[in-house]
Amino acid sequence: MNSSSRDLPLSHLRKSHGAEVTVRLKNGSQIIGKLIVYDEMMNLVLDSAREVDPVSGEARRSVGTLFIRGNNVLFVTLE
């Protein structure tokens, strides 16, 4: 894998810094929140985070500021 393909996910996160993102976790949970911090391991900190039902999109609960370990992230959707 060349360095440009490795940098691609981080370049998309860089563009979304401060914006709302949707994070799908490996356990099937879906979290929506404002991306405030990320690192090269895809560890994320979201502000105003809320867990939503992945099918209906309805909010299940508000969790405030949330740290998500990168090894739990399945994918990140940029809003």
Side-chain angles (χ1 to χ4, degrees):
M1 181 188 303
N2 63 37
S3 67
S4 64
S5 62
R6 240 181 293 140
D7 294 340
L8 189 60
L10 291 177
S11 69
H12 287 297
L13 283 180
R14 204 171 297 120
K15 293 176 193 172
S16 293
H17 186 261
E20 192 165 271
V21 296
T22 299
V23 181
R24 176 69 65 98
L25 303 179
K26 290 180 181 177
N27 70 2
S29 297
Q30 187 165 301
I31 309 292
I32 298 175
K34 180 180 173 185
L35 179 64
I36 55 175
V37 177
Y38 66 91
D39 67 13
E40 68 278 350
M41 299 300 291
M42 295 292 288
N43 295 316
L44 309 170
V45 177
L46 304 180
D47 193 28
S48 302
R50 57 202 180 279
E51 182 180 9
V52 298
D53 183 276
V55 176
S56 69
E58 292 183 28
R60 288 184 177 167
R61 64 183 170 141
S62 177
V63 290
T65 302
L66 181 66
F67 172 80
I68 302 172
R69 286 190 55 167
N71 63 343
N72 293 317
V73 175
L74 187 60
F75 63 82
V76 178
T77 303
L78 312 175
E79 301 297 319

